[in-house]
């Protein structure tokens, strides 16, 4: 049984131009101790999926799904209390721009201690509890590879560098010992060496602690270096998903192919300064979504049928939604 | 043959204070030496804070060097000689969003440098604006658009059009792709390479993205703490790196590229 199982998640939101389906029949599963990548361009709805999972969506929006299950129990059928308990105890989220998600007026130590759930501290006199808190805090920082923890804890958010800050955010997220960590663009804008440190840290946590990770990003290099499987999103529709290796070796959806081609490091025999293969046009806005397959106007393989939404099909565990996938020759 | 742009012993010094109680630290860049030929791309690599953006600003004339020389076609560029410089060396900044005025139409934004720097009349300027828009893959109608009506990729194209409109010889681009999405980024990379082939432009290109650096640059310059620690032809530096820093960077990059290919 997958840890998280989402089937046909649709989210309708209000925009200036009326109501639109920002997410349209999205499918996503995360297995126990799996690192799953959620890939898509800006505005494709990645963060909306994250918000739907943790239940942080606007009351006026309409969310429907055939399944939104956490360990087999339906999150949508639960009471608000039960759901909040699960998202608080079992799911942790870290965001891009680590500095801005911390309180600038409190030291890092104070913020971390506040995050420790009471049951981990246990009972006792307040000085004993205080002592226990301190222990937990330094253990956490040690785990994420922050060495000089005294200094780190007494610092304020603006005084530490980006990478320490992101490690600290990971430490905060892990205090409550979650089953699933959702990382929304955790390495955006970081330089290569620091990025690979953060990615190694996440991989290690995954291996040592059986932590499942949903890694949200459009950085293909980062994704393919550590993720086991990948779900590709375009304009609020899931276009392809499967094992990382299969998708990289043989993408079936034209969009996935374009995405992989956009990272020149992956193509071994690309001549310097030769043209990269690119899709025409730009990502449509929510107000001007094409009907049917939303890639339609930009897709080199598009035909008449594409005005109907393609149903998901699969070869073993490799799912794709396209009328004219790449493994079938065009007539 | 004289190089298009020659940089000799360029230095820049400034005192920076981190906190009021700490002693001011000296921030020094240089000495920097390089030559750039017409139609070539030079990439600058380095960590945040290694002085990449300051170097770009020095080249574009936004900040004054403490010493050293900049020669364009063998002629000395003085800092005061702003007009000559701004015609020949143009800059594209990191954040296209902030660098376009939201209250002006694209046409007006592109008209400003023409008004300031050329003697073209209104009709000629209009003509120039629509050719430049087409050069960067936009339509003439985009002249009537405001910033908020454009996508990220289109904004970046407008920024490029503004840089191109004065027929420069060198374009300095500070992380021009960082804010772009993959499928739009490839278009932009292709566009820059096409303009280089067609117009013989030279680029100085600052980026974290080693994959793209390797793909589009002829030579690279590696900066660490304001010093050039390595420079040379792109394929040489990428295949036989000399400095520890570059080796480390490439190993990190390679490990990202290769790791999941093996299993
Ligand atoms: N509160 C909101 N009200 C109206 N529209 C919204 C709201 N939040 C998100 N959207 C729209 O929903 C779409 C998906 O947004 P989302 O934030 O999920 O994108 P994303 O894939 O996370 O992009 P990025 O990579 O830029 O973070 C976008 O077009 C966005 O404009
Ligand atoms: S369904 Fe049609 S438009 Fe959509 S990706 Fe497939 S071929 Fe292209
Ligand atoms: Mg997002």
């Amino acid at each position: 049984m997958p840890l998280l199982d989402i089937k046909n998640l649709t989210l309708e939101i209000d925009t200036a131009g009326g109501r639109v389906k920002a997410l349209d029949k999205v499918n996503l599963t995360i297995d126990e101790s799996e690192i799953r990548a959620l890939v898509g361009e800006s505005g494709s709805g990645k963060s909306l999926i994250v918000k739907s999972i943790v239940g942080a969506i606007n009351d006026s929006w309409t969310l429907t799904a055939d399944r939104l299950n956490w360990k087999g129990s339906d999150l949508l059928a639960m009471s608000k209390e039960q759901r909040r308990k699960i998202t608080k105890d079992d799911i942790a989220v870290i965001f891009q721009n680590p500095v801005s998600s911390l309180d600038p007026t409190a030291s890092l130590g104070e913020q971390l201690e506040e995050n420790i759930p009471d049951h981990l501290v246990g009972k006792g006199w307040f000085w004993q509890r205080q002592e226990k808190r301190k222990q937990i805090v330094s253990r956490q920082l040690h785990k994420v590879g922050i060495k000089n923890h005294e200094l780190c804890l007494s610092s304020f958010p603006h005084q530490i560098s980006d990478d320490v800050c992101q490690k600290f955010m990971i430490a905060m997220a892990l205090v409550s010992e979650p089953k699933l960590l959702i990382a929304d663009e955790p390495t955006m804008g970081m330089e290569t060496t620091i990025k690979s440190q953060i990615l190694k840290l996440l991989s290690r946590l995954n291996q040592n602690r059986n932590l499942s990770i949903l890694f949200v990003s459009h950085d293909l290099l980062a994704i393919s270096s550590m993720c086991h499987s990948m779900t590709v999103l375009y304009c609020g529709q899931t276009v392809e998903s499967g094992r990382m290796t299969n998708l990289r070796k043989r993408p079936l959806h034209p969009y996935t192919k374009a995405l992989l081609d956009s990272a020149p490091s992956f193509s071994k025999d690309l001549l310097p300064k030769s043209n990269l293969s690119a899709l025409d046009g730009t990502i449509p806005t929510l107000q001007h979504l094409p009907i049917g397959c939303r890639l339609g106007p930009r897709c080199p393989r598009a035909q008449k049928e594409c005005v109907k939404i393609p149903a998901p099909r699969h070869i073993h565990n490799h799912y794709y939604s396209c009328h004219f996938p790449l493994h079938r020759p065009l007539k | 043959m004289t190089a298009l742009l020659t940089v000799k012993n360029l230095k820049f010094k400034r005192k920076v204070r981190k906190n009021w109680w700490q002693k001011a630290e000296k921030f020094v860049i240089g000495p920097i030496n390089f030559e750039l030929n017409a139609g070539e791309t030079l990439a600058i690599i380095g960590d945040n804070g290694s002085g990449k953006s300051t170097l770009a600003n020095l080249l574009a004339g936004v900040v004054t060097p403490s010493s050293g020389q900049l020669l364009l076609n063998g002629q000395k560029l003085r800092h005061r000689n702003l007009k000559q410089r701004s015609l020949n060396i143009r800059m594209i900044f990191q954040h296209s969003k902030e660098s376009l005025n939201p209250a002006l139409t694209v046409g007006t934004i592109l008209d400003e440098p023409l008004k300031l720097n050329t003697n073209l009349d209104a009709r000629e300027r209009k003509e120039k604006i629509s050719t430049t828009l087409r050069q960067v893959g936009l339509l003439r109608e985009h002249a009537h658009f405001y910033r908020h009506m454009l996508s990220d990729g289109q904004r970046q194209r407008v920024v490029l059009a503004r840089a191109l409109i004065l027929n420069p010889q060198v374009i300095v681009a500070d992380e021009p792709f960082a804010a772009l999405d993959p499928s739009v980024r490839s278009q932009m990379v292709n566009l820059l390479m096409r303009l280089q082939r067609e117009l013989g432009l030279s680029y100085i290109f600052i980026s974290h993205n080693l994959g793209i650096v390797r793909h589009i640059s002829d030579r690279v310059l590696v900066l660490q703490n304001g010093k050039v620690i390595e420079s040379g032809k792109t394929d040489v530096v990428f295949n036989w790196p000399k400095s520890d820093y570059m080796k480390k960077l490439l190993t990190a990059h390679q490990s990202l590229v290769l790791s999941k290919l093996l299993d």
Side-chain angles (χ1 to χ4, degrees):
Chain A
M1 185 173 54
L3 201 57
L4 183 73
D5 184 6
I6 301 179
K7 177 122 199 267
N8 288 339
L9 173 72
T10 299
L11 182 69
E12 288 180 79
I13 70 178
D14 297 309
T15 69
R19 238 177 144 69
V20 290
K21 286 182 182 165
L23 297 177
D24 190 10
K25 300 203 170 152
V26 166
N27 296 322
L28 176 76
T29 59
I30 303 169
D31 287 328
E32 202 131 345
S33 62
E34 173 186 51
I35 308 183
R36 155 90 48 179
L38 180 59
V39 197
E41 300 180 273
S42 183
S44 58
K46 302 181 300 279
S47 300
L48 289 179
I49 294 183
V50 174
K51 287 182 186 159
S52 308
I53 295 172
V54 297
I57 56 165
N58 217 317
D59 282 338
S60 65
W61 297 348
T62 324
L63 184 153
T64 51
D66 291 352
R67 273 203 299 277
L68 183 59
N69 287 0
W70 174 256
K71 289 193 196 158
S73 47
D74 187 357
L75 283 173
L76 293 177
M78 279 175 199
S79 72
K80 271 213 166 103
E81 290 308 308
Q82 279 173 311
R83 183 158 184 196
R84 196 172 302 135
K85 183 155 168 38
I86 287 179
T87 43
K88 195 159 152 279
D89 294 349
D90 289 350
I91 305 178
V93 190
I94 50 173
F95 295 98
Q96 72 189 64
N97 266 338
V99 183
S100 60
S101 39
L102 287 168
D103 178 358
T105 61
S107 77
L108 295 179
E110 285 164 357
Q111 302 193 40
L112 185 53
E113 279 180 29
E114 222 166 74
N115 250 29
I116 303 174
D118 289 335
H119 69 265
L120 289 181
V121 180
K123 297 208 163 53
W125 294 99
F126 76 90
W127 63 85
Q128 292 169 317
R129 291 204 304 264
Q130 200 57 30
E131 196 50 36
K132 183 84 188 156
R133 279 212 174 83
K134 286 250 147 43
Q135 271 174 20
I136 295 176
V137 162
S138 63
R139 188 160 30 124
Q140 285 300 336
L141 289 191
H142 194 77
K143 269 185 199 145
V144 298
I146 296 179
K147 288 182 193 92
N148 198 342
H149 64 260
E150 294 289 333
L151 182 65
C152 175
L153 289 174
S154 60
S155 305
F156 286 84
H158 64 272
Q159 292 173 320
I160 56 174
S161 63
D162 272 3
D163 54 321
V164 177
C165 194
Q166 192 57 279
K167 286 180 187 165
F168 180 79
M169 292 304 295
I170 296 173
M172 287 259 275
L174 296 181
V175 173
S176 56
E177 304 188 339
K179 307 267 178 330
L180 172 68
L181 177 70
I182 302 180
D184 194 352
E185 313 235 21
T187 57
M188 178 117 143
M190 286 184 182
E191 44 200 68
T192 317
T193 32
I194 294 178
K195 186 156 86 184
S196 73
Q197 272 182 32
I198 300 284
L199 298 178
K200 274 192 197 127
L201 169 63
L202 290 175
S203 294
R204 206 173 62 228
L205 290 167
N206 165 258
Q207 279 156 15
N208 298 351
R209 288 212 189 177
N210 268 340
L211 180 71
S212 304
I213 299 176
L214 178 64
F215 188 82
V216 183
S217 174
H218 59 226
D219 181 348
L220 281 163
L221 217 50
I223 289 167
S224 61
S225 72
M226 61 175 281
C227 297
H228 307 132
S229 54
M230 160 156 115
T231 296
V232 185
L233 200 68
Y234 181 78
C235 282
Q237 296 177 331
T238 27
V239 298
E240 188 161 3
S241 74
R243 305 282 308 163
M244 190 70 224
T245 37
N246 294 346
L247 258 73
R248 256 184 77 176
K249 254 190 240 130
R250 204 166 70 126
L252 300 178
H253 196 282
Y255 178 69
T256 314
K257 173 98 174 50
L259 208 58
L260 292 170
D261 284 345
S262 74
S265 328
F266 286 155
S267 347
K268 271 272 163 295
D269 29 59
L270 195 68
L271 285 175
K273 296 209 177 188
S274 57
N275 268 351
L276 305 176
S277 68
L279 295 174
D280 291 340
T282 49
I283 306 152
T285 57
L286 276 184
Q287 289 78 25
H288 301 99
L289 289 174
I291 49 167
C293 174
R294 291 180 176 176
L295 189 64
R298 303 180 68 193
C299 179
R301 299 171 73 87
Q303 319 259 330
K304 261 208 233 87
E305 284 89 327
C306 301
V307 297
K308 284 194 298 261
I309 296 185
R313 282 180 275 182
H314 64 103
I315 304 173
H316 305 298
N317 273 333
H318 189 158
Y319 286 79
Y320 61 93
S321 302
C322 173
H323 293 297
F324 306 100
L326 296 168
H327 63 295
R328 298 218 197 110
L330 276 186
K331 270 165 260 148
Chain B
M1 193 183 94
T2 48
L4 176 61
L5 181 71
T6 312
V7 174
K8 279 190 191 157
N9 274 322
L10 198 67
K11 274 190 200 157
F12 174 74
K13 284 189 195 136
R14 196 178 53 188
K15 288 207 169 108
V16 271
R17 252 166 203 268
K18 280 210 175 115
N19 294 311
W20 58 269
W21 67 88
Q22 280 175 336
K23 227 175 68 195
E25 273 178 48
K26 258 218 198 114
F27 177 67
V28 187
I29 286 192
I32 285 167
N33 292 289
F34 68 84
E35 288 189 345
L36 182 68
N37 293 319
E40 260 190 1
T41 303
L42 172 78
I44 302 174
I45 307 179
D47 281 343
N48 293 334
S50 63
K52 288 176 304 185
S53 297
T54 316
L55 177 55
N57 288 332
L58 283 170
L59 296 173
V62 186
V63 278
T64 326
S66 320
S67 62
Q69 284 185 338
L70 273 173
L71 305 171
L72 191 72
N73 296 315
Q75 270 188 329
K76 203 163 158 185
L77 268 183
R78 262 182 295 274
H79 187 67
R80 296 276 160 258
N81 199 347
L82 262 181
K83 187 140 179 179
Q84 185 195 0
R85 187 199 300 254
S86 65
L87 287 174
N88 287 305
I89 306 180
R90 303 281 289 170
M91 179 128 179
I92 304 176
F93 290 99
Q94 202 156 349
H95 299 292
S96 60
K97 269 188 198 129
E98 284 101 76
S99 66
L100 294 178
N101 187 335
L104 301 179
T105 61
V106 168
T108 322
I109 290 173
L110 294 179
D111 205 21
E112 270 173 13
L114 287 179
K115 271 192 193 152
L116 283 174
N117 297 293
T118 67
N119 302 320
L120 301 179
D121 64 30
R123 205 182 46 84
E124 289 167 326
R125 290 204 306 271
K126 207 164 165 207
E127 196 54 36
K128 181 73 188 161
I129 290 172
S130 48
T131 19
T132 313
L133 283 174
R134 256 169 299 154
Q135 260 176 346
V136 299
L138 292 170
L139 304 169
R140 135 199 316 238
E141 289 76 53
H142 280 117
H144 308 298
F145 280 46
Y146 288 91
R147 189 183 79 176
H148 70 267
M149 298 156 80
L150 301 168
S151 72
D152 287 347
Q154 290 170 329
R155 282 178 194 162
Q156 198 61 284
R157 282 165 196 259
V158 173
V159 173
L160 183 62
R162 184 174 56 183
L164 278 178
I165 203 157
L166 295 172
N167 301 324
Q169 293 172 295
V170 182
I171 287 187
V172 181
D174 191 352
E175 290 278 7
F177 310 120
L180 296 181
D181 284 308
S183 78
V184 182
R185 193 175 62 204
S186 302
Q187 288 173 8
M188 192 72 192
V189 171
N190 289 345
L191 172 63
L192 285 174
M193 292 193 296
R194 197 191 79 217
L195 291 172
Q196 183 164 59
R197 282 195 302 273
E198 286 174 2
L199 309 174
L201 284 173
S202 303
Y203 297 123
I204 292 174
F205 177 76
I206 297 174
S207 178
H208 280 321
N209 192 323
L210 290 184
I212 290 186
V213 163
R214 179 176 202 160
H215 187 64
I216 74 172
S217 70
D218 298 289
R219 282 183 302 132
V220 291
L221 198 74
V222 187
L223 282 186
Q224 192 177 30
N225 298 324
K227 297 261 179 307
V228 177
I229 53 165
E230 184 158 1
S231 69
K233 281 217 154 77
T234 303
D235 59 331
V236 177
V237 173
F238 274 75
N239 285 314
W240 299 278
K242 287 201 286 274
S243 60
D244 288 342
Y245 172 75
M246 193 64 201
K247 281 182 193 157
K248 210 174 94 196
L249 208 61
L250 283 172
T251 320
H253 180 72
Q254 278 306 320
S255 74
L256 291 184
V257 175
L258 291 177
S259 45
K260 272 281 145 41
L261 262 184
L262 301 173
D263 62 14

